């Protein structure tokens, strides 16, 4: 299971319709709606600055949130849409979807690298280059992994680690079909330079 699921705090919104939504925006809030699950749609609102900060942080639409609204039970949600002003590109409305534990969703999962201190390639001076610190996976809402693990214990200089080399949690699968690279261990810069010099000398001798 994932560690801490971030809270998303909102207020219930009493009025509906365009007029009420305009008033909400004049009050410095952004109107939204929560739908899906086994409950009726719930009209909500969030402070404009708080929502804008979340959006600027990135991946708002691929993050699982614990929605907290006074007078209602907490519920897991994911953003399905954010409407924006066509001129200012600022949020004017947002849609959240309630999730059942059996719902499948796409989330970015952190990659942990272990046994760096025992990796033969790194002990010889190799350099670990991390291509993806996070990997987007399709997972069950009720069984979200906190991370996936890449074991470097037997990795040598020149080794390339693909997603197919990683044991994924049960029920999780990559959202990208190709066998993409997560990291690699390259030769030390000095060694690469020496190799290049040797190649030039051999070419000169020929």
């Amino acid at each position: 299971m994932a560690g801490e699921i971030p809270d998303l705090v909102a207020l219930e919104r009493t009025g509906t319709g365009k007029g009420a939504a305009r008033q909400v925006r004049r009050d410095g809030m952004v109107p939204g709606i929560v739908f899906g699950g086994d409950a009726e749609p719930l009209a909500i609102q969030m402070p404009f600055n708080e929502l804008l900060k979340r959006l600027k942080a990135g991946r708002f639409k691929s993050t699982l949130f614990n929605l907290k609204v006074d007078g209602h039970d907490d519920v897991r949600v994911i953003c399905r849409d954010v409407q924006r002003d066509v001129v200012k590109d600022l949020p004017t409305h947002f849609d959240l979807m309630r999730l059942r534990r059996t719902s499948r969703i796409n989330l970015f999962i952190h990659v942990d690298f272990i046994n760096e201190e025992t990796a033969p390639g790194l002990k010889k001076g190799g350099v670990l280059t991390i291509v993806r610190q996070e990997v987007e996976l399709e997972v069950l809402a009720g069984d979200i992994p906190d991370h996936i693990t890449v074991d470097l214990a037997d990795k040598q200089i020149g080794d390339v680690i693909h997603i197919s080399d990683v044991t994924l949690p049960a029920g999780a699968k990559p959202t990208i079909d190709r066998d993409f690279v997560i990291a690699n261990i390259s030769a030390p810069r000095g060694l690469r330079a020496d190799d290049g010099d040797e190649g030039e000398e051999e070419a000169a001798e020929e």
Side-chain angles (χ1 to χ4, degrees):
M1 282 295 295
E4 289 297 319
I5 297 174
D7 287 339
L8 191 66
V9 180
L11 300 171
E12 186 170 3
R13 180 163 52 96
T14 54
T16 57
K18 292 183 178 179
R22 281 195 294 268
Q23 183 59 52
V24 166
R25 296 186 190 104
R26 282 195 292 268
D27 293 338
M29 309 288 281
V30 181
I33 191 78
V34 188
F35 65 92
D38 300 320
E40 292 295 317
L42 175 66
I44 60 173
Q45 57 187 348
M46 274 186 66
F48 174 85
N49 289 337
E50 175 62 22
L51 179 58
L52 188 61
K53 182 175 73 174
R54 297 270 191 177
L55 292 172
K56 287 183 175 180
R59 294 179 177 166
F60 184 72
K61 294 175 70 174
S62 59
T63 299
L64 183 71
F65 291 105
N66 177 50
L67 180 65
K68 303 178 77 70
V69 180
D70 279 347
H72 297 270
D73 293 336
D74 291 4
V75 62
R76 288 183 174 186
V77 298
I78 193 166
C79 180
R80 276 295 171 243
D81 193 27
V82 177
Q83 290 92 56
R84 296 175 179 266
D85 183 278
V86 293
V87 177
K88 299 179 180 179
D89 196 35
L90 296 175
T92 58
H93 192 278
F94 62 100
D95 300 340
L96 303 178
M97 186 177 73
R98 301 183 187 96
L99 294 174
R100 299 183 179 90
R101 293 184 64 83
T102 55
S103 300
R104 297 195 68 85
I105 54 174
N106 296 347
L107 292 177
F108 283 91
I109 306 299
H110 180 75
V111 181
D112 269 2
F113 295 86
I114 63 172
N115 293 321
E116 291 185 49
E117 67 281 356
T118 60
L122 297 181
K123 290 173 73 173
K124 294 174 185 174
V127 179
L128 174 65
T129 301
I130 299 173
V131 179
R132 293 174 185 262
Q133 191 65 67
E134 294 179 310
V135 173
E136 188 177 26
L137 300 178
E138 180 186 290
V139 298
L140 284 171
D143 194 18
I144 299 170
D146 182 57
H147 63 274
I148 61 174
T149 301
V150 172
D151 191 348
L152 302 171
D154 61 348
K155 299 303 180 185
Q156 303 283 351
I157 290 175
D159 282 354
V160 179
I161 303 156
H162 296 82
I163 186 63
S164 61
D165 300 318
V166 180
T167 301
L168 297 178
K173 64 179 183 179
T175 60
I176 301 175
D177 289 336
R178 59 185 172 80
D179 192 17
F180 55 86
V181 175
I182 294 178
N184 61 70
I185 297 180
S186 56
R189 180 170 298 177
L191 181 58
R192 293 199 297 270
D194 291 344
D195 289 344
D197 292 342
E198 289 174 6
E200 290 173 4
E201 291 173 2
E202 289 172 2
E205 290 173 0
E206 291 176 358

